[in-house]
Amino acid sequence: INIQANESLEKMRDEYSAIVVERDAATASIEELKANLNELRLSKVEAENAINRWQDQYESLIAERNAVSMSDFQTNLHQLRVEKLQAEAAAKRWCDDHATAIIERDAALATNNKLQ
């Protein structure tokens, strides 16, 4: 009986150790996801700033439109449209990355909660 109890105790210790390792991995994953979310927040601010710069430049171009030649205006307007598309693409990438990070974080939290 004592041998069986010792074997059972040893098995329980091994299982507990495995759970602790999994919990620690999930916790590390959550911390990494938090860091990723912070980076994404910074990317969002950068994308918003790019869009604001585009809007400011666009408004400035509209104000200058009558003072410059039509050819120069069209060239500048085309460049602004390209920058706007780039800013919108950056904002979309941020949204996609943000959504992915939230899904990964929620999955890690669910795993961590199951382990506790």
Side-chain angles (χ1 to χ4, degrees), residues 16-75:
Y16 178 77
S17 293
I19 288 172
V20 168
V21 167
E22 288 180 30
R23 184 204 61 209
D24 290 347
T27 301
S29 177
I30 289 169
E31 292 304 316
E32 182 181 341
L33 288 170
K34 285 180 183 176
N36 289 343
L37 282 174
N38 286 334
E39 288 179 29
L40 288 172
R41 286 184 182 106
L42 291 175
S43 296
K44 176 188 175 209
V45 169
E46 291 171 3
E48 288 171 343
N49 288 340
I51 289 170
N52 289 337
R53 279 193 307 274
W54 174 84
Q55 288 174 333
D56 292 344
Q57 290 174 340
Y58 182 78
E59 290 170 5
S60 175
L61 272 179
I62 294 299
E64 293 176 17
R65 175 174 52 189
N66 295 328
V68 242
S69 74
M70 197 52 154
S71 172
D72 289 343
F73 175 76
Q74 287 175 338
T75 300

Side-chain angles (χ1 to χ4, degrees), residues 35 86 106:
Q86 291 169 340
D106 290 348

